Every structure is written in C-alpha cells, then in structure tokens.
Amino acid sequence: MTTSPTKALHDLGVSELAAGLRAKQFSAAEAAQHFLARAKVHQHLGAFVAMNEDATLAQAQAADARIAAGTAGALEGVPIAHKDIFVTRDFPSTAGSRMLAGYQSPFDATVVTRLAKAGALTLGKLNCDEFAMGSANENSAVAPVGFEAPAPVRNPWDTSRIPGGSSGGSAVAVAARLAPAVTGTDTGGSIRQPASFCGITGIKPTYGRASRYGMIAFASSLDQAGPMARSAEDCALLLSAMCGPDLDRDSTSLDVPAEDYSRSLNDSLEGLRIGIPAEFFGEGLAPDVRAAVNAALKEYEKLGATLVPISLPRTELSIPVYYIIAPAEASSNLSRFDGVKFGHRAKDYTDLVDMYKKTRAEGFGDEVKRRIMIGTYVLSHGYYDAYYLQAQKIRRMIADDFQNAFKECDLIAGPVAPTVAWKLGEHGNNPLADYLADIFTLPASLAGLPGMSVPAGFGEGGMPVGLQLIGNYFAEARLLNAAHRLQQATDFHLRQPGGL
C-alpha cells in the first residue's frame, strides 16, 4: 500500500503510516510530533490523561534508526496510545482513579511491550472509567491533559454526548484522529460499545489470547485487551502484534501461538452463514439502530453471505449474571488497594482498620464502591450459593447457547448497543440505565468469545451505529475478514466528525 502525498498524516491509517515510514516519505519523529501537536489542539475532548513528549520522541528517534538500519518491525514508527488501564514505565498509570494518582509502574504491561517490540510508539495514556467500570466514561476521577479537575470524555461527533465506556478515551482518540490506533480493554463490552458510539472499529479477541499481565484488574475471568482503529485491516495489524502466550506471567494466558490476523482479509464471503439472534432485535432496540444494522446485513447478502435466524435464549440473563460475577471479582481484585504498599493513603487515621476505611472511602469513586459492595455481598457466607454459584451455572449455559448457535452459522451479527450515544449526564444517578446498555455485548464476554464492532451507518442526531460481529473461539481472522469486506463495500469507517 502506498500513501497519498495529499493526505495529512492524521488521515493515514496504521498500514498507510507503516508503509510511508518504510518508504521514508516522512520520519517517525515527524509523525510523532504531528500527533502530539494534534492531541494538544483537541485536548478539550478529554481523551488523554498523560503525555510525555520527551519519551515519545526518544522512541521515535530509535524507530528512525531501526528503519535506517533495515531492522524495522511491522509497526515501526507508528504512533499509538494506550488505555490508562495498562501499566507503563514512561507514563503514569492511574486506571482513572484517585487511588492510583501519580502511580508510576516499574514495568510495562505485556501488551505494551509487544506493541513496542513491533515498533509502535506511545503517544500517551487515554482516559477511561475508573478501574474500567462504566459504560459512558463519566466515572473517571483523573483530570485529562489540559484540565485542572476530572472531566468526562466527549464524543467528537457531538460533544454534548458520551463516547461510551470504559474505553471512551481510546475511542475518541481514534475517531478524532488524535492517534491512528489505540489499545482498549473489554470486560463486558468496553471496546465494542465505545467503538460503536464513536464510529470506529474495535475487536475483543478470544479470552486469553492477549496477556493480562500489567493490565490493572477489574474482573479477572472477563478482562481482555484488544485494539481499536479506523479499519479492520488496522485492527488486524495491531492484534497480530498484541497476542500470543505469556504463560510465565499470566495464568489465564492461552498456550496458543500468535497469528497473522490479516492473512485472510480478502477471502470471499460466498457461502458465509451469518446468524441473526431474535433476542438482539426485540422491542428495546431503537428504530434508527435497527435500520442501520439491517442495511449492513443486506450488504453482507450482496457479498454472498446467507442470513440464518438463530436463538440465544438466555440473552436477558446476561445482565444479572454479569453484574454478579464481575463485581464479585472486582471485590477480590480491588482489596489490594488498602493504603499499605502503594497508591493513595489517608492522612489522618487512628489505627490500621481506620486507615483501611478512610483510604478506600477517599480513593474510590461511587461506581467502584457500588460494585465492591455488591461483590462482597454475593460472596459472603449464606449468599455465595444463592447468587455467585448460580450465576456461574447460568454463565455456562449462555456459553452453551452460543455453541448450539454455531452449529447453524459461522458468525453471529446484531447491534452493539440498543441506542446511539446518549447525552452527558442523561442517565444521572441511575446506574441501571448504563447496565442495560450492555445487553448485547455481555453474552459474548461471559462466554469468552471474540467479538467486534464495525461502523454500520448513522442514527438519531447523525450519531454512529456499530454492527456487532461475534465468532466462535479463535475465529478472529474470520471476524476481521467479514469486517474488512464490509468496509470495502461501504465508507462509514472513513467518515469523520466535522470541525476536526
């Protein structure tokens, strides 16, 4: 692929930037400086929470040296940014929480290390809901770059709206052309939902494909890293670099070799069976979202795919199951933040127990406290069997529903969320409204399946709508192929917000 000399650097995708760098049409230092300057111009969106220009430019100079020496990696010199849930040596890692304000990790997360090994540069860290808990990116307790106090991330398509969460800063950085690609994490839909709301492409791989080492934990059996970019082709390049076994450091890592996920991007879709779950198209689906999704499905029929009606009968149960299992795991994981070894510590306390209480009361935000309390409750004596154990049983049944469906189809398609992005503050103090927005993304997360969001059109207020594609275990290449072929037939992924 050759780059267009008339395109601005921020309009180039990952593959175009990599090709331009290898051809020495511009240097890694020039690309890094361009994106750093652009991030500053658009800092009102609140996407970045940390930048370190010296560290980024040092990485760029090293990349230019490798390009000159002919030892460039697949992503050499391509600037990206990381969700602030991954620990990094050169940038603070806060997980969007006061609890970790100013924390500087002595090591990089495996995902960060692997992307750096492929040659990618780090522009900075991206805003997210506190400890990745949220569907709107309104729960961050960290001030974005250029702000003096915490502020919500704003959707560049309409700055009065939320970008989705918890990877809201990541989605906004790509949609606003502040970075060509980014990392995100998906526990219950936190890559797919903000990708849908911001009109970009994002993929959550099979659970265990990408190492969780150095990812600040929320729910260990659900958290998974993935890339977010403008196109499926760019996501494939990043995913190929991110994935692979990390058995010595991550007990949930799968012993499955890394793949070239771009290998089958141009395969024909002739004969592909796409399952359409009836439960994803019920009364709760907004008409504008339904219309955009149906139009995308018609494109697949034109490309040779067959639409097959299927059923995922326990879809509605995914919300109560997830909001028992995820808080239970969060309750356990976040117990380490007690003011003893690292992170925030209360200034005034009388004894150790008082220090624990005050530290956690001051350090955690409302949503994190809410989930810790729910998790502690369902794990407590007398309630474990009634709630947590039952939820795990239903989780297995949800996974079985998918396996039954995959006997009839190759991929599953439907909406990512019931509506387009809502207005900032619209859900107010009603967390249940946010939880219900995850109904279509939670089932695949509970089953550990790969899923992605692909731009599929626009709905109410000109806001983006994403099509969700779900594959069977290890079907990332097939998902990316289906997404790529749709993107060759449509231009939704190329459109960008006005005024940027």
Side-chain angles (χ1 to χ4, degrees):
M1 180 180 288
T2 56
T3 60
S4 166
T6 59
K7 273 188 175 181
L9 286 176
H10 58 265
D11 286 328
L12 302 177
V14 173
S15 56
E16 293 173 305
L17 282 164
L21 286 160
R22 282 194 299 273
K24 299 179 182 170
Q25 294 175 359
F26 45 85
S27 68
E30 287 170 334
Q33 285 169 333
H34 179 88
F35 280 99
L36 288 170
R38 186 168 172 81
K40 288 176 186 172
V41 169
H42 297 290
Q43 64 186 20
H44 64 282
L45 295 171
F48 281 87
V49 290
M51 300 176 83
N52 180 343
E53 197 166 320
D54 290 342
T56 302
L57 294 178
Q59 292 176 23
Q61 288 162 2
D64 282 330
R66 287 190 291 271
I67 291 168
T71 58
L75 300 173
E76 201 67 63
V78 175
I80 65 170
H82 295 291
K83 182 176 180 178
D84 195 26
I85 211 80
F86 296 99
V87 298
T88 45
R89 281 180 298 183
D90 294 330
F91 303 83
S93 303
T94 69
S97 179
R98 285 186 294 272
M99 187 62 85
L100 284 171
Y103 174 68
Q104 197 85 18
S105 171
F107 65 96
D108 284 331
T110 295
V111 161
V112 174
T113 301
R114 286 188 170 157
L115 286 166
K117 191 175 179 183
L121 318 178
T122 301
L123 292 168
K125 302 295 284 295
L126 297 163
N127 210 336
C128 61
D129 281 306
E130 186 177 3
F131 288 105
M133 298 181 193
S135 300
N137 223 138
E138 292 180 292
N139 294 336
S140 177
V142 175
V145 172
F147 287 71
E148 293 183 0
V153 186
R154 295 180 179 273
N155 193 314
W157 291 92
D158 177 350
T159 54
S160 70
R161 295 180 187 252
I162 58 103
S166 63
S167 307
S170 296
V172 168
V174 175
R177 296 350 190 215
L178 312 184
V182 298
T183 57
T185 61
D186 192 307
T187 305
S190 289
I191 285 174
R192 290 162 286 160
Q193 187 242 40
S196 173
F197 286 176
C198 292
I200 66 166
T201 308
I203 181 167
K204 175 195 92 73
T206 302
Y207 178 79
R209 274 286 211 186
S211 174
R212 289 176 45 252
Y213 181 76
M215 182 197 300
I216 299 169
F218 163 15
S220 302
S221 74
L222 293 156
D223 296 343
Q224 191 58 196
M228 303 168 78
R230 297 209 293 274
S231 70
E233 180 183 14
D234 288 351
C235 281
L237 291 171
L238 260 75
L239 194 64
S240 299
M242 289 169 65
C243 290
D246 193 20
L247 306 178
D248 293 339
R249 296 186 294 187
D250 176 10
S251 62
T252 62
S253 176
L254 294 170
D255 191 7
V256 178
E259 293 181 26
D260 174 9
Y261 293 108
S262 59
R263 68 183 185 278
S264 53
L265 284 182
N266 293 303
D267 286 1
S268 169
L269 299 187
E270 200 67 46
L272 181 75
R273 299 171 303 162
I274 299 178
I276 310 299
E279 294 78 7
F280 282 25
F281 291 85
E283 289 181 7
L285 184 63
D288 55 333
V289 175
R290 186 190 300 270
V293 169
N294 284 338
L297 294 174
K298 283 188 172 65
E299 287 292 338
Y300 274 120
E301 288 186 303
K302 291 180 193 172
L303 292 167
T306 304
L307 305 185
V308 181
I310 61 165
S311 178
L312 295 172
R314 295 177 181 88
T315 296
E316 283 191 4
L317 293 177
S318 63
I319 293 178
V321 167
Y322 177 85
Y323 284 101
I324 288 172
I325 293 173
E329 295 182 9
S331 169
S332 175
N333 278 326
L334 271 60
S335 64
R336 71 193 68 175
F337 300 106
D338 56 11
V340 175
K341 290 185 178 178
F342 55 83
H344 173 75
R345 178 186 290 181
K347 287 183 179 177
D348 301 313
Y349 50 87
T350 54
D351 56 23
L352 187 63
V353 172
D354 191 44
M355 186 196 78
Y356 288 160
K357 288 179 179 178
K358 287 180 177 172
T359 293
R360 291 167 70 79
E362 294 168 8
F364 291 137
D366 289 346
E367 183 60 29
V368 175
K369 290 175 185 173
R370 187 179 292 119
R371 297 197 194 194
I372 288 173
M373 288 191 290
I374 292 169
T376 304
Y377 176 82
V378 301
L379 290 176
S380 61
H381 181 67
Y383 298 103
Y384 180 92
D385 289 349
Y387 293 103
Y388 185 73
L389 201 58
Q390 292 302 317
Q392 291 288 16
K393 288 177 181 177
I394 299 172
R395 180 183 192 175
R396 170 47 53 198
M397 294 163 80
I398 289 169
D400 289 343
D401 286 346
F402 277 106
Q403 292 311 304
N404 289 330
F406 283 125
K407 292 173 184 174
E408 303 171 41
C409 63
D410 305 306
L411 296 178
I412 293 170
V416 175
T419 66
V420 296
W422 54 89
K423 296 280 187 178
L424 285 160
E426 186 176 320
H427 289 175
N429 293 318
N430 179 14
L432 288 177
D434 282 2
Y435 299 171
L436 291 170
D438 298 335
I439 187 166
F440 301 137
T441 54
L442 292 176
S445 292
L446 289 165
L449 293 167
M452 67 185 297
S453 176
V454 190
F458 296 86
E460 178 258 325
M463 296 304 293
V465 174
L467 173 75
Q468 181 174 205
L469 296 174
I470 301 168
N472 210 342
Y473 301 112
F474 310 116
E476 290 85 1
R478 174 176 267 174
L479 280 177
L480 289 159
N481 164 232
H484 181 62
R485 294 309 301 269
L486 180 66
Q487 290 180 339
Q488 287 178 315
T490 61
D491 70 347
F492 300 124
H493 65 295
L494 299 176
R495 299 191 197 177
Q496 54 184 297
L500 294 173

